[in-house]
Amino acid sequence: MFTGIIEELGTIVAIDRSEASARLTVRGPLALTGTKHGDSISVSGVCLTVVGQTEDTFTADVMAQTLTMSALDDLAVGSRVNLERAAQLGDRLGGHIVQGHIDGTGEVLAVTPGEAWRIVRISLPASLAPLVTDKGSITVDGVSLTVSDVSTADAPDQWFEVSLIPETLEATTLGSRTIGNRVNLETDILARHVERLLAFTGTAERSNA
């Protein structure tokens, strides 16, 4: 479990690809503090398990399904990634409850600079659109953000916007995202549970009819 508050910008130092998986080696000395074999680290929003480590790097395996569902397949040696260690019981929850289980990816559609903020518009897969609401929470590349605007339900192409403060732009990879970049999306876990409950409520009503 994570909070979406990024602890460190890491760097991909090696990628070993096979037909059905990839092994990533990431430099992130802060993320390794107190970390041991088998622990979880969020890499740009994807929960990965540490299978090897040195003083300043860790290695994690990424399965085919994760590569398909996320933007990790776009990474190359030298790519920057957002890192967060799993939350400890008793920590302050600075962001929101983040599982590190990616729902899909979006594409940066527009970047609008301002005096102190930068507004980023991101495409939203139709299947995820009902789970995203104005002023609600969403995780983009592992960063806990508040939705500042969202497309209407009848819009042919769904999107949402986030307003990024200077700290977020500097401390995460979102400051370097440009139009056309893919980003990892994780919707709010509460919204996912509500959607599932409503699906079963409809089934129960039909069964009792």
Side-chain angles (χ1 to χ4, degrees), residues 128-178:
L128 302 183
L131 306 177
V132 180
T133 183
D134 188 29
K135 305 301 186 295
S137 296
I138 193 165
T139 307
V140 179
D141 276 351
V143 184
S144 172
L145 298 170
T146 299
V147 176
S148 57
D149 198 4
V150 67
S151 55
T152 60
D154 58 354
D157 298 309
Q158 294 292 312
W159 52 264
F160 69 95
E161 289 182 347
V162 289
S163 299
L164 306 180
I165 61 174
E167 172 65 19
T168 303
L169 296 172
E170 182 177 346
T172 76
T173 60
L174 298 185
S176 62
R177 290 289 179 252
T178 59

mmCIF file of all heavy atoms in Angstrom, residues 128-178:
data_model
loop_
_atom_site.group_PDB
_atom_site.id
_atom_site.type_symbol
_atom_site.label_atom_id
_atom_site.label_comp_id
_atom_site.label_asym_id
_atom_site.label_seq_id
_atom_site.Cartn_x
_atom_site.Cartn_y
_atom_site.Cartn_z
ATOM 1 N N LEU A 128 -12.596 3.583 -17.644
ATOM 2 C CA LEU A 128 -12.218 4.214 -16.376
ATOM 3 C C LEU A 128 -12.946 5.520 -16.127
ATOM 4 O O LEU A 128 -12.961 6.023 -15.002
ATOM 5 C CB LEU A 128 -10.704 4.483 -16.353
ATOM 6 C CG LEU A 128 -9.775 3.281 -16.540
ATOM 7 C CD1 LEU A 128 -8.325 3.718 -16.413
ATOM 8 C CD2 LEU A 128 -10.096 2.179 -15.539
ATOM 9 N N ALA A 129 -13.561 6.076 -17.150
ATOM 10 C CA ALA A 129 -14.192 7.390 -17.043
ATOM 11 C C ALA A 129 -15.201 7.492 -15.891
ATOM 12 O O ALA A 129 -15.220 8.501 -15.176
ATOM 13 C CB ALA A 129 -14.848 7.770 -18.372
ATOM 14 N N PRO A 130 -16.051 6.476 -15.647
ATOM 15 C CA PRO A 130 -17.021 6.602 -14.552
ATOM 16 C C PRO A 130 -16.368 6.672 -13.170
ATOM 17 O O PRO A 130 -17.024 7.061 -12.205
ATOM 18 C CB PRO A 130 -17.869 5.329 -14.686
ATOM 19 C CG PRO A 130 -17.678 4.874 -16.089
ATOM 20 C CD PRO A 130 -16.270 5.234 -16.422
ATOM 21 N N LEU A 131 -15.091 6.294 -13.076
ATOM 22 C CA LEU A 131 -14.412 6.243 -11.787
ATOM 23 C C LEU A 131 -13.671 7.535 -11.448
ATOM 24 O O LEU A 131 -13.089 7.648 -10.369
ATOM 25 C CB LEU A 131 -13.412 5.074 -11.776
ATOM 26 C CG LEU A 131 -13.975 3.700 -12.130
ATOM 27 C CD1 LEU A 131 -12.866 2.663 -12.140
ATOM 28 C CD2 LEU A 131 -15.081 3.298 -11.162
ATOM 29 N N VAL A 132 -13.698 8.496 -12.365
ATOM 30 C CA VAL A 132 -12.943 9.737 -12.169
ATOM 31 C C VAL A 132 -13.911 10.905 -12.082
ATOM 32 O O VAL A 132 -14.748 11.100 -12.970
ATOM 33 C CB VAL A 132 -11.944 9.949 -13.329
ATOM 34 C CG1 VAL A 132 -11.161 11.249 -13.131
ATOM 35 C CG2 VAL A 132 -10.993 8.764 -13.428
ATOM 36 N N THR A 133 -13.784 11.683 -11.023
ATOM 37 C CA THR A 133 -14.712 12.792 -10.811
ATOM 38 C C THR A 133 -13.955 14.062 -10.433
ATOM 39 O O THR A 133 -12.843 13.998 -9.891
ATOM 40 C CB THR A 133 -15.717 12.449 -9.678
ATOM 41 O OG1 THR A 133 -16.657 13.511 -9.540
ATOM 42 C CG2 THR A 133 -15.005 12.234 -8.356
ATOM 43 N N ASP A 134 -14.534 15.189 -10.745
ATOM 44 C CA ASP A 134 -13.948 16.483 -10.398
ATOM 45 C C ASP A 134 -13.733 16.556 -8.888
ATOM 46 O O ASP A 134 -14.615 16.198 -8.109
ATOM 47 C CB ASP A 134 -14.881 17.601 -10.868
ATOM 48 C CG ASP A 134 -14.260 18.976 -10.715
ATOM 49 O OD1 ASP A 134 -13.025 19.085 -10.777
ATOM 50 O OD2 ASP A 134 -15.024 19.942 -10.527
ATOM 51 N N LYS A 135 -12.561 16.981 -8.483
ATOM 52 C CA LYS A 135 -12.137 17.096 -7.082
ATOM 53 C C LYS A 135 -11.867 15.732 -6.451
ATOM 54 O O LYS A 135 -11.559 15.658 -5.252
ATOM 55 C CB LYS A 135 -13.156 17.857 -6.236
ATOM 56 C CG LYS A 135 -13.526 19.242 -6.758
ATOM 57 C CD LYS A 135 -12.309 20.153 -6.877
ATOM 58 C CE LYS A 135 -12.713 21.574 -7.270
ATOM 59 N NZ LYS A 135 -13.303 21.654 -8.630
ATOM 60 N N GLY A 136 -11.961 14.661 -7.218
ATOM 61 C CA GLY A 136 -11.631 13.340 -6.708
ATOM 62 C C GLY A 136 -10.142 13.063 -6.819
ATOM 63 O O GLY A 136 -9.372 13.865 -7.341
ATOM 64 N N SER A 137 -9.726 11.901 -6.333
ATOM 65 C CA SER A 137 -8.316 11.524 -6.339
ATOM 66 C C SER A 137 -8.008 10.590 -7.502
ATOM 67 O O SER A 137 -8.825 9.747 -7.880
ATOM 68 C CB SER A 137 -7.942 10.821 -5.028
ATOM 69 O OG SER A 137 -8.070 11.698 -3.929
ATOM 70 N N ILE A 138 -6.802 10.745 -8.062
ATOM 71 C CA ILE A 138 -6.306 9.837 -9.085
ATOM 72 C C ILE A 138 -4.791 9.772 -8.943
ATOM 73 O O ILE A 138 -4.160 10.721 -8.447
ATOM 74 C CB ILE A 138 -6.707 10.288 -10.502
ATOM 75 C CG1 ILE A 138 -6.462 9.166 -11.514
ATOM 76 C CG2 ILE A 138 -5.993 11.582 -10.898
ATOM 77 C CD1 ILE A 138 -7.144 9.383 -12.849
ATOM 78 N N THR A 139 -4.221 8.651 -9.351
ATOM 79 C CA THR A 139 -2.770 8.489 -9.304
ATOM 80 C C THR A 139 -2.238 8.473 -10.728
ATOM 81 O O THR A 139 -2.679 7.668 -11.550
ATOM 82 C CB THR A 139 -2.379 7.187 -8.587
ATOM 83 O OG1 THR A 139 -3.022 7.142 -7.315
ATOM 84 C CG2 THR A 139 -0.884 7.107 -8.389
ATOM 85 N N VAL A 140 -1.293 9.373 -11.019
ATOM 86 C CA VAL A 140 -0.673 9.454 -12.343
ATOM 87 C C VAL A 140 0.822 9.183 -12.172
ATOM 88 O O VAL A 140 1.514 9.931 -11.483
ATOM 89 C CB VAL A 140 -0.888 10.837 -12.982
ATOM 90 C CG1 VAL A 140 -0.202 10.913 -14.347
ATOM 91 C CG2 VAL A 140 -2.384 11.140 -13.120
ATOM 92 N N ASP A 141 1.288 8.094 -12.765
ATOM 93 C CA ASP A 141 2.690 7.685 -12.611
ATOM 94 C C ASP A 141 3.096 7.617 -11.145
ATOM 95 O O ASP A 141 4.206 8.012 -10.759
ATOM 96 C CB ASP A 141 3.626 8.623 -13.382
ATOM 97 C CG ASP A 141 3.751 8.237 -14.853
ATOM 98 O OD1 ASP A 141 3.259 7.160 -15.237
ATOM 99 O OD2 ASP A 141 4.346 9.003 -15.620
ATOM 100 N N GLY A 142 2.159 7.148 -10.317
ATOM 101 C CA GLY A 142 2.445 6.977 -8.901
ATOM 102 C C GLY A 142 2.256 8.207 -8.053
ATOM 103 O O GLY A 142 2.435 8.150 -6.837
ATOM 104 N N VAL A 143 1.873 9.336 -8.663
ATOM 105 C CA VAL A 143 1.711 10.600 -7.933
ATOM 106 C C VAL A 143 0.245 10.798 -7.572
ATOM 107 O O VAL A 143 -0.629 10.793 -8.448
ATOM 108 C CB VAL A 143 2.208 11.795 -8.778
ATOM 109 C CG1 VAL A 143 2.119 13.080 -7.960
ATOM 110 C CG2 VAL A 143 3.634 11.557 -9.259
ATOM 111 N N SER A 144 -0.035 10.979 -6.287
ATOM 112 C CA SER A 144 -1.394 11.253 -5.830
ATOM 113 C C SER A 144 -1.785 12.670 -6.216
ATOM 114 O O SER A 144 -1.134 13.638 -5.812
ATOM 115 C CB SER A 144 -1.483 11.087 -4.311
ATOM 116 O OG SER A 144 -2.746 11.517 -3.826
ATOM 117 N N LEU A 145 -2.862 12.800 -7.000
ATOM 118 C CA LEU A 145 -3.287 14.107 -7.494
ATOM 119 C C LEU A 145 -4.796 14.280 -7.325
ATOM 120 O O LEU A 145 -5.538 13.299 -7.239
ATOM 121 C CB LEU A 145 -2.931 14.258 -8.980
ATOM 122 C CG LEU A 145 -1.433 14.198 -9.330
ATOM 123 C CD1 LEU A 145 -1.255 14.103 -10.840
ATOM 124 C CD2 LEU A 145 -0.700 15.408 -8.771
ATOM 125 N N THR A 146 -5.223 15.533 -7.317
ATOM 126 C CA THR A 146 -6.645 15.860 -7.288
ATOM 127 C C THR A 146 -7.081 16.279 -8.677
ATOM 128 O O THR A 146 -6.435 17.115 -9.319
ATOM 129 C CB THR A 146 -6.914 17.003 -6.287
ATOM 130 O OG1 THR A 146 -6.522 16.584 -4.982
ATOM 131 C CG2 THR A 146 -8.392 17.373 -6.276
ATOM 132 N N VAL A 147 -8.167 15.705 -9.157
ATOM 133 C CA VAL A 147 -8.700 16.044 -10.471
ATOM 134 C C VAL A 147 -9.259 17.458 -10.426
ATOM 135 O O VAL A 147 -10.098 17.785 -9.588
ATOM 136 C CB VAL A 147 -9.804 15.050 -10.884
ATOM 137 C CG1 VAL A 147 -10.427 15.451 -12.212
ATOM 138 C CG2 VAL A 147 -9.243 13.637 -10.958
ATOM 139 N N SER A 148 -8.792 18.317 -11.326
ATOM 140 C CA SER A 148 -9.250 19.711 -11.337
ATOM 141 C C SER A 148 -10.326 19.963 -12.388
ATOM 142 O O SER A 148 -11.022 20.974 -12.345
ATOM 143 C CB SER A 148 -8.073 20.659 -11.569
ATOM 144 O OG SER A 148 -7.400 20.355 -12.774
ATOM 145 N N ASP A 149 -10.457 19.032 -13.342
ATOM 146 C CA ASP A 149 -11.523 19.142 -14.340
ATOM 147 C C ASP A 149 -11.643 17.787 -15.018
ATOM 148 O O ASP A 149 -10.689 16.998 -15.039
ATOM 149 C CB ASP A 149 -11.207 20.225 -15.375
ATOM 150 C CG ASP A 149 -12.447 20.675 -16.150
ATOM 151 O OD1 ASP A 149 -13.562 20.198 -15.830
ATOM 152 O OD2 ASP A 149 -12.298 21.485 -17.082
ATOM 153 N N VAL A 150 -12.812 17.514 -15.575
ATOM 154 C CA VAL A 150 -13.048 16.229 -16.222
ATOM 155 C C VAL A 150 -14.055 16.430 -17.347
ATOM 156 O O VAL A 150 -14.903 17.323 -17.285
ATOM 157 C CB VAL A 150 -13.552 15.192 -15.187
ATOM 158 C CG1 VAL A 150 -14.936 15.551 -14.670
ATOM 159 C CG2 VAL A 150 -13.516 13.781 -15.739
ATOM 160 N N SER A 151 -13.955 15.622 -18.376
ATOM 161 C CA SER A 151 -14.883 15.725 -19.494
ATOM 162 C C SER A 151 -16.285 15.323 -19.066
ATOM 163 O O SER A 151 -16.471 14.608 -18.079
ATOM 164 C CB SER A 151 -14.415 14.836 -20.653
ATOM 165 O OG SER A 151 -14.250 13.497 -20.217
ATOM 166 N N THR A 152 -17.282 15.770 -19.811
ATOM 167 C CA THR A 152 -18.666 15.398 -19.516
ATOM 168 C C THR A 152 -18.891 13.930 -19.879
ATOM 169 O O THR A 152 -18.159 13.343 -20.673
ATOM 170 C CB THR A 152 -19.643 16.270 -20.299
ATOM 171 O OG1 THR A 152 -19.392 16.101 -21.710
ATOM 172 C CG2 THR A 152 -19.482 17.731 -19.925
ATOM 173 N N ALA A 153 -19.919 13.347 -19.285
ATOM 174 C CA ALA A 153 -20.183 11.923 -19.489
ATOM 175 C C ALA A 153 -20.487 11.591 -20.941
ATOM 176 O O ALA A 153 -20.242 10.467 -21.392
ATOM 177 C CB ALA A 153 -21.344 11.483 -18.591
ATOM 178 N N ASP A 154 -21.032 12.558 -21.709
ATOM 179 C CA ASP A 154 -21.409 12.286 -23.096
ATOM 180 C C ASP A 154 -20.321 12.709 -24.097
ATOM 181 O O ASP A 154 -20.536 12.647 -25.309
ATOM 182 C CB ASP A 154 -22.720 12.973 -23.444
ATOM 183 C CG ASP A 154 -22.670 14.489 -23.245
ATOM 184 O OD1 ASP A 154 -21.649 14.990 -22.726
ATOM 185 O OD2 ASP A 154 -23.654 15.164 -23.605
ATOM 186 N N ALA A 155 -19.170 13.119 -23.602
ATOM 187 C CA ALA A 155 -18.095 13.530 -24.509
ATOM 188 C C ALA A 155 -17.589 12.323 -25.296
ATOM 189 O O ALA A 155 -17.430 11.233 -24.738
ATOM 190 C CB ALA A 155 -16.949 14.153 -23.730
ATOM 191 N N PRO A 156 -17.335 12.465 -26.585
ATOM 192 C CA PRO A 156 -16.875 11.327 -27.394
ATOM 193 C C PRO A 156 -15.499 10.829 -26.973
ATOM 194 O O PRO A 156 -15.212 9.632 -27.073
ATOM 195 C CB PRO A 156 -16.855 11.884 -28.820
ATOM 196 C CG PRO A 156 -16.762 13.372 -28.653
ATOM 197 C CD PRO A 156 -17.502 13.689 -27.391
ATOM 198 N N ASP A 157 -14.657 11.724 -26.494
ATOM 199 C CA ASP A 157 -13.327 11.355 -26.014
ATOM 200 C C ASP A 157 -13.189 11.820 -24.573
ATOM 201 O O ASP A 157 -13.300 13.014 -24.278
ATOM 202 C CB ASP A 157 -12.235 11.996 -26.878
ATOM 203 C CG ASP A 157 -12.298 11.533 -28.324
ATOM 204 O OD1 ASP A 157 -12.345 10.305 -28.541
ATOM 205 O OD2 ASP A 157 -12.310 12.385 -29.227
ATOM 206 N N GLN A 158 -12.951 10.875 -23.692
ATOM 207 C CA GLN A 158 -12.898 11.187 -22.269
ATOM 208 C C GLN A 158 -11.499 11.669 -21.866
ATOM 209 O O GLN A 158 -10.487 11.185 -22.370
ATOM 210 C CB GLN A 158 -13.277 9.957 -21.444
ATOM 211 C CG GLN A 158 -14.727 9.524 -21.621
ATOM 212 C CD GLN A 158 -15.685 10.538 -21.027
ATOM 213 O OE1 GLN A 158 -15.518 10.981 -19.894
ATOM 214 N NE2 GLN A 158 -16.706 10.914 -21.789
ATOM 215 N N TRP A 159 -11.454 12.618 -20.925
ATOM 216 C CA TRP A 159 -10.195 13.159 -20.433
ATOM 217 C C TRP A 159 -10.392 13.711 -19.029
ATOM 218 O O TRP A 159 -11.516 13.878 -18.552
ATOM 219 C CB TRP A 159 -9.668 14.275 -21.347
ATOM 220 C CG TRP A 159 -10.661 15.375 -21.639
ATOM 221 C CD1 TRP A 159 -11.482 15.483 -22.722
ATOM 222 C CD2 TRP A 159 -10.984 16.501 -20.795
ATOM 223 N NE1 TRP A 159 -12.273 16.606 -22.616
ATOM 224 C CE2 TRP A 159 -11.980 17.257 -21.455
ATOM 225 C CE3 TRP A 159 -10.503 16.959 -19.571
ATOM 226 C CZ2 TRP A 159 -12.519 18.420 -20.905
ATOM 227 C CZ3 TRP A 159 -11.035 18.123 -19.015
ATOM 228 C CH2 TRP A 159 -12.031 18.840 -19.690
ATOM 229 N N PHE A 160 -9.287 13.971 -18.365
ATOM 230 C CA PHE A 160 -9.319 14.685 -17.088
ATOM 231 C C PHE A 160 -8.115 15.609 -17.035
ATOM 232 O O PHE A 160 -7.158 15.462 -17.813
ATOM 233 C CB PHE A 160 -9.304 13.715 -15.900
ATOM 234 C CG PHE A 160 -8.009 12.978 -15.715
ATOM 235 C CD1 PHE A 160 -7.029 13.443 -14.839
ATOM 236 C CD2 PHE A 160 -7.746 11.817 -16.427
ATOM 237 C CE1 PHE A 160 -5.833 12.781 -14.675
ATOM 238 C CE2 PHE A 160 -6.551 11.136 -16.273
ATOM 239 C CZ PHE A 160 -5.585 11.616 -15.397
ATOM 240 N N GLU A 161 -8.178 16.569 -16.132
ATOM 241 C CA GLU A 161 -7.075 17.503 -15.956
ATOM 242 C C GLU A 161 -6.600 17.504 -14.509
ATOM 243 O O GLU A 161 -7.394 17.287 -13.585
ATOM 244 C CB GLU A 161 -7.488 18.926 -16.352
ATOM 245 C CG GLU A 161 -7.673 19.104 -17.852
ATOM 246 C CD GLU A 161 -8.025 20.524 -18.245
ATOM 247 O OE1 GLU A 161 -8.376 21.332 -17.351
ATOM 248 O OE2 GLU A 161 -7.953 20.838 -19.443
ATOM 249 N N VAL A 162 -5.315 17.749 -14.338
ATOM 250 C CA VAL A 162 -4.739 17.943 -13.015
ATOM 251 C C VAL A 162 -3.928 19.236 -13.045
ATOM 252 O O VAL A 162 -3.346 19.586 -14.067
ATOM 253 C CB VAL A 162 -3.849 16.762 -12.586
ATOM 254 C CG1 VAL A 162 -4.689 15.537 -12.285
ATOM 255 C CG2 VAL A 162 -2.812 16.430 -13.667
ATOM 256 N N SER A 163 -3.923 19.940 -11.932
ATOM 257 C CA SER A 163 -3.158 21.176 -11.809
ATOM 258 C C SER A 163 -1.942 20.893 -10.932
ATOM 259 O O SER A 163 -2.085 20.533 -9.761
ATOM 260 C CB SER A 163 -4.015 22.277 -11.186
ATOM 261 O OG SER A 163 -5.137 22.552 -12.012
ATOM 262 N N LEU A 164 -0.751 21.052 -11.506
ATOM 263 C CA LEU A 164 0.479 20.660 -10.826
ATOM 264 C C LEU A 164 1.186 21.878 -10.245
ATOM 265 O O LEU A 164 1.477 22.842 -10.958
ATOM 266 C CB LEU A 164 1.405 19.944 -11.806
ATOM 267 C CG LEU A 164 0.785 18.750 -12.556
ATOM 268 C CD1 LEU A 164 1.810 18.128 -13.488
ATOM 269 C CD2 LEU A 164 0.250 17.717 -11.570
ATOM 270 N N ILE A 165 1.486 21.808 -8.960
ATOM 271 C CA ILE A 165 2.204 22.889 -8.292
ATOM 272 C C ILE A 165 3.701 22.742 -8.566
ATOM 273 O O ILE A 165 4.169 21.670 -8.987
ATOM 274 C CB ILE A 165 1.929 22.894 -6.775
ATOM 275 C CG1 ILE A 165 2.412 21.576 -6.143
ATOM 276 C CG2 ILE A 165 0.445 23.119 -6.505
ATOM 277 C CD1 ILE A 165 2.301 21.561 -4.623
ATOM 278 N N PRO A 166 4.495 23.798 -8.340
ATOM 279 C CA PRO A 166 5.933 23.725 -8.604
ATOM 280 C C PRO A 166 6.630 22.563 -7.909
ATOM 281 O O PRO A 166 7.529 21.939 -8.486
ATOM 282 C CB PRO A 166 6.448 25.075 -8.082
ATOM 283 C CG PRO A 166 5.293 26.000 -8.269
ATOM 284 C CD PRO A 166 4.075 25.168 -7.970
ATOM 285 N N GLU A 167 6.246 22.241 -6.680
ATOM 286 C CA GLU A 167 6.878 21.134 -5.959
ATOM 287 C C GLU A 167 6.685 19.816 -6.707
ATOM 288 O O GLU A 167 7.613 19.016 -6.843
ATOM 289 C CB GLU A 167 6.293 21.024 -4.545
ATOM 290 C CG GLU A 167 6.735 19.804 -3.766
ATOM 291 C CD GLU A 167 8.222 19.786 -3.451
ATOM 292 O OE1 GLU A 167 8.863 20.853 -3.508
ATOM 293 O OE2 GLU A 167 8.734 18.693 -3.145
ATOM 294 N N THR A 168 5.484 19.580 -7.201
ATOM 295 C CA THR A 168 5.207 18.347 -7.948
ATOM 296 C C THR A 168 5.989 18.320 -9.257
ATOM 297 O O THR A 168 6.515 17.278 -9.657
ATOM 298 C CB THR A 168 3.699 18.223 -8.236
ATOM 299 O OG1 THR A 168 2.977 18.268 -6.999
ATOM 300 C CG2 THR A 168 3.379 16.919 -8.948
ATOM 301 N N LEU A 169 6.067 19.459 -9.925
ATOM 302 C CA LEU A 169 6.797 19.538 -11.185
ATOM 303 C C LEU A 169 8.279 19.252 -10.992
ATOM 304 O O LEU A 169 8.925 18.642 -11.846
ATOM 305 C CB LEU A 169 6.622 20.928 -11.809
ATOM 306 C CG LEU A 169 5.194 21.296 -12.232
ATOM 307 C CD1 LEU A 169 5.125 22.761 -12.639
ATOM 308 C CD2 LEU A 169 4.732 20.401 -13.378
ATOM 309 N N GLU A 170 8.817 19.671 -9.851
ATOM 310 C CA GLU A 170 10.252 19.508 -9.603
ATOM 311 C C GLU A 170 10.589 18.140 -9.011
ATOM 312 O O GLU A 170 11.629 17.555 -9.335
ATOM 313 C CB GLU A 170 10.740 20.603 -8.654
ATOM 314 C CG GLU A 170 12.231 20.558 -8.363
ATOM 315 C CD GLU A 170 12.686 21.694 -7.474
ATOM 316 O OE1 GLU A 170 11.916 22.656 -7.297
ATOM 317 O OE2 GLU A 170 13.817 21.618 -6.969
ATOM 318 N N ALA A 171 9.713 17.614 -8.160
ATOM 319 C CA ALA A 171 10.034 16.409 -7.403
ATOM 320 C C ALA A 171 9.606 15.117 -8.083
ATOM 321 O O ALA A 171 9.919 14.031 -7.586
ATOM 322 C CB ALA A 171 9.399 16.494 -6.016
ATOM 323 N N THR A 172 8.874 15.208 -9.197
ATOM 324 C CA THR A 172 8.397 14.013 -9.885
ATOM 325 C C THR A 172 8.681 14.119 -11.380
ATOM 326 O O THR A 172 9.072 15.169 -11.881
ATOM 327 C CB THR A 172 6.887 13.804 -9.681
ATOM 328 O OG1 THR A 172 6.150 14.728 -10.506
ATOM 329 C CG2 THR A 172 6.480 14.010 -8.228
ATOM 330 N N THR A 173 8.423 13.024 -12.089
ATOM 331 C CA THR A 173 8.620 13.011 -13.547
ATOM 332 C C THR A 173 7.550 13.800 -14.288
ATOM 333 O O THR A 173 7.697 14.059 -15.486
ATOM 334 C CB THR A 173 8.614 11.568 -14.084
ATOM 335 O OG1 THR A 173 7.347 10.953 -13.777
ATOM 336 C CG2 THR A 173 9.735 10.746 -13.478
ATOM 337 N N LEU A 174 6.485 14.204 -13.598
ATOM 338 C CA LEU A 174 5.392 14.897 -14.281
ATOM 339 C C LEU A 174 5.837 16.243 -14.842
ATOM 340 O O LEU A 174 5.249 16.752 -15.796
ATOM 341 C CB LEU A 174 4.200 15.075 -13.340
ATOM 342 C CG LEU A 174 3.554 13.777 -12.834
ATOM 343 C CD1 LEU A 174 2.316 14.087 -12.010
ATOM 344 C CD2 LEU A 174 3.209 12.842 -13.986
ATOM 345 N N GLY A 175 6.891 16.813 -14.274
ATOM 346 C CA GLY A 175 7.389 18.079 -14.774
ATOM 347 C C GLY A 175 7.990 17.984 -16.165
ATOM 348 O O GLY A 175 8.100 18.999 -16.870
ATOM 349 N N SER A 176 8.359 16.788 -16.580
ATOM 350 C CA SER A 176 8.970 16.610 -17.903
ATOM 351 C C SER A 176 8.024 15.956 -18.906
ATOM 352 O O SER A 176 8.410 15.719 -20.054
ATOM 353 C CB SER A 176 10.241 15.756 -17.782
ATOM 354 O OG SER A 176 9.938 14.454 -17.294
ATOM 355 N N ARG A 177 6.804 15.686 -18.503
ATOM 356 C CA ARG A 177 5.858 15.050 -19.413
ATOM 357 C C ARG A 177 5.405 16.043 -20.480
ATOM 358 O O ARG A 177 5.075 17.189 -20.185
ATOM 359 C CB ARG A 177 4.643 14.506 -18.655
ATOM 360 C CG ARG A 177 4.969 13.290 -17.788
ATOM 361 C CD ARG A 177 5.230 12.093 -18.649
ATOM 362 N NE ARG A 177 5.578 10.919 -17.869
ATOM 363 C CZ ARG A 177 6.794 10.393 -17.813
ATOM 364 N NH1 ARG A 177 7.786 10.958 -18.480
ATOM 365 N NH2 ARG A 177 7.027 9.313 -17.110
ATOM 366 N N THR A 178 5.354 15.570 -21.730
ATOM 367 C CA THR A 178 4.943 16.408 -22.856
ATOM 368 C C THR A 178 3.822 15.720 -23.621
ATOM 369 O O THR A 178 3.517 14.547 -23.395
ATOM 370 C CB THR A 178 6.123 16.675 -23.805
ATOM 371 O OG1 THR A 178 6.630 15.417 -24.293
ATOM 372 C CG2 THR A 178 7.245 17.416 -23.088
#
